[in-house]
Amino acid sequence: GAGTPGPTEQCDADCTLAVCGDGIVNQAAGEECDGDGLGLGGETEECDVNCTDARCGDGTINSTRGEQCDDNNADNSDACPNNCQIATCGDGFVHAGTEQCDGDGAGIPGPTEQCDADCTLAVCGDGIVNQAAGEECDGDGLGLGGETEACDVNCTDARCGDGTINSTRGEQCDDNNTVDLDGCNKSCALEFCGDGIEQPLLNEECDAGDADSNGVADETSWCDSNCTLPICGDGVENNAANEQCDGGDSDDDGVADDTQECDSDCSLPQCGDGYQNSMFDPDPNDGVDLTEECDDGDGSPRNTNECDSDCTLPFCGDGHANPNFDPPGDVTAEQCDEGNGSPRNTSNCDSDCTTPSCGDGHVNVAAGEECDPPHFPTGCLNNCQCDASGCTPTGV
C-alpha cells in the first residue's frame, strides 16, 4: 500500500485480503499451504484447514487424509496412536489400560504367538483359537475354554491315539497309538484283567472275564483271578481249580510252601490227612508250639507204630495211648500212657505203658503195690504186698 509490491501478511499476491482458506498460499501470512493453492480453499489431503502442512501428530484432525483423531503426540499407547486412527483392538498398538496386547505391538495387527485376536494374552483354554500360537482348537472357539468333545485340553484336535485323554468324548485312556492288546485299545478304552481278552503286554496269561460284573476277574479251572494260569504255589487261591488254599512258593523251588494255613498240595491242613506239614500246628491255641511230626492218617487221624493220632512221634510217656505202637525193647504194644513228657507210674498205668497188674514184675507204688514178683521173691505176697518179715527185692 506504500508502493512496495508482493504479498504481505495482510494482502495476497492477487491483491485480495489474506485469509486462510482463500486457496492462495501466502507464506508472508504464515501459511504453509492453503487449499489446493490455486484458489480453491479448504482442507485437502496435503493441507490442514489451518493452512499448515497436513501430518499425523500435528494436533489437527484432517478427515480428507483419513485421520480419525490427532492428539498432537507420537504416543502409540493412548486413545489415538501415531496413525491418527482411533485406538481399536487389532490396530497393532497396545492401548494402555484397555488391551493386554495387540498384534506385535508395533503396528502389525492380527493374532500372534503371544496375542489373541481379541487383544488378550494367548492362553490355551481361553476359548479363542489362535493358530499363530500353535492351537488347532480352543474350547468351543467362542470364548468358552476347556476340554470339549472335539478339542483336547492342550488345544489340539481330539482324536483317539493323540496321547491326551479326553473324558468328554468318552476316552478312558490314550497311549498315543491305536493298537489293541497293550493296555489301551484302539477305541481308547482300558484293557484290564477281567475284560475277557488276554493281554500279553499286561503280563496276562489268560482272562476269564467278569461275568458277575463285580470288578474282579472270574476264577476258573484254567485261569486265576489275577489272569495268570492256576498253579498250586502261585499264592492265589483258586477254588475252581480245586485249590482250598495256596501258601505260595517263597523259596522259588517250584514247590508250594507248607504253611500253618495250607499244605503244599494246596489243601487245608489237618492232622489225619496223610500229609506231614511241619509248619502246621493242629492246635495252635493250646499254648504249646508243636507242629506235625508225622501223619499216617487216611482222611482222619489214626494211631500207627510210627505216628500217634495227634500227629506226633509216639513214645512211651508222651501221654497218648497208642495201641499200635510197640516201644523199642518192649514185647507189648502200648496199653496206656499217662506220662507227662516222660514215662511215669500212675494208678492206671505202669511206666512202661502197660496196664498195671500184680505179677507183671513191675512195682507200681502208685497202683498200691509194695512189691511185685519176680523182683521180690522173698517176703512178697501174691497181692504184691510185703509180708510181716518185709520184702527183699532181687534184680531191681
Side-chain angles (χ1 to χ4, degrees):
T4 302
T8 66
E9 187 175 350
Q10 289 79 31
C11 187
D12 286 338
D14 65 351
C15 295
T16 59
L17 293 174
V19 179
C20 174
D22 57 13
I24 300 172
V25 180
N26 187 333
Q27 292 179 334
E31 295 179 347
E32 296 176 346
C33 59
D34 195 318
D36 63 358
L38 301 174
L40 182 61
E43 176 187 273
T44 67
E45 193 169 343
E46 289 79 22
C47 190
D48 283 341
V49 72
N50 63 358
C51 295
T52 57
D53 291 333
R55 64 187 181 279
C56 179
D58 59 13
T60 300
I61 300 173
N62 187 321
S63 301
T64 304
R65 67 192 308 270
E67 291 184 351
Q68 297 175 339
C69 58
D70 196 317
D71 57 0
N72 200 30
N73 66 51
D75 185 357
N76 285 325
S77 65
D78 59 16
C80 185
N82 61 12
N83 62 1
C84 287
Q85 302 296 305
I86 294 173
T88 58
C89 175
D91 59 14
F93 300 107
V94 182
H95 187 183
T98 301
E99 298 174 343
Q100 295 178 338
C101 58
D102 197 319
D104 68 352
I108 304 300
T112 67
E113 189 173 351
Q114 290 77 34
C115 192
D116 283 341
D118 65 351
C119 296
T120 58
L121 294 174
V123 179
C124 175
D126 57 17
I128 301 172
V129 181
N130 187 331
Q131 293 179 333
E135 295 181 348
E136 297 175 344
C137 56
D138 197 315
D140 64 358
L142 301 174
L144 182 61
E147 177 186 273
T148 68
E149 191 168 346
C151 191
D152 283 340
V153 71
N154 63 356
C155 295
T156 57
D157 292 331
R159 61 188 180 279
C160 179
D162 60 14
T164 302
I165 299 174
N166 187 319
S167 302
T168 305
R169 68 189 309 269
E171 292 184 350
Q172 297 175 332
C173 56
D174 197 314
D175 57 359
N176 207 32
N177 66 51
T178 52
V179 177
D180 287 333
L181 307 182
D182 63 352
C184 183
N185 68 21
K186 62 186 177 183
S187 300
C188 288
L190 286 171
E191 297 170 319
F192 54 92
C193 177
D195 61 8
I197 302 172
E198 183 181 327
Q199 312 286 341
L201 294 181
L202 297 181
N203 297 319
E204 291 186 355
E205 299 172 339
C206 54
D207 195 315
D210 180 16
D212 55 6
S213 300
N214 66 350
V216 179
D218 296 335
E219 66 176 32
T220 66
S221 61
W222 51 272
C223 196
D224 281 343
S225 60
N226 64 354
C227 293
T228 59
L229 296 174
I231 299 172
C232 178
D234 59 13
V236 181
E237 179 184 327
N238 186 333
N239 300 137
N242 296 320
E243 291 184 350
Q244 297 176 326
C245 55
D246 196 311
D249 180 16
S250 60
D251 54 6
D252 295 320
D253 63 353
V255 179
D257 296 337
D258 283 328
T259 69
Q260 170 67 23
E261 294 77 23
C262 199
D263 282 346
S264 63
D265 63 354
C266 291
S267 62
L268 294 173
Q270 62 178 0
C271 178
D273 59 12
Y275 177 79
Q276 180 193 341
N277 182 340
S278 59
M279 301 300 294
F280 172 57
D281 184 350
D283 190 357
N285 299 315
D286 63 1
V288 180
D289 185 14
L290 186 62
T291 58
E292 282 192 336
E293 298 173 332
C294 55
D295 195 317
D296 284 347
D298 55 1
S300 61
R302 64 173 184 159
N303 290 311
T304 69
N305 190 47
E306 290 78 25
C307 195
D308 282 343
S309 61
D310 63 356
C311 293
T312 58
L313 293 173
F315 64 91
C316 179
D318 61 10
H320 183 92
N322 182 342
N324 295 311
F325 172 56
D326 187 0
D330 216 331
V331 295
T332 305
E334 278 193 339
Q335 298 172 338
C336 58
D337 195 321
E338 295 189 357
N340 57 359
S342 60
R344 66 172 181 161
N345 289 316
T346 70
S347 60
N348 300 307
C349 194
D350 284 343
S351 61
D352 62 357
C353 293
T354 59
T355 302
S357 173
C358 181
D360 60 12
H362 184 93
V363 180
N364 185 337
V365 176
E369 293 181 343
E370 296 178 347
C371 57
D372 197 314
H375 295 302
F376 290 84
T378 303
C380 189
L381 302 175
N382 290 335
N383 62 357
C384 291
Q385 301 296 310
C386 292
D387 62 16
S389 64
C391 297
T392 303
T394 301
V396 180

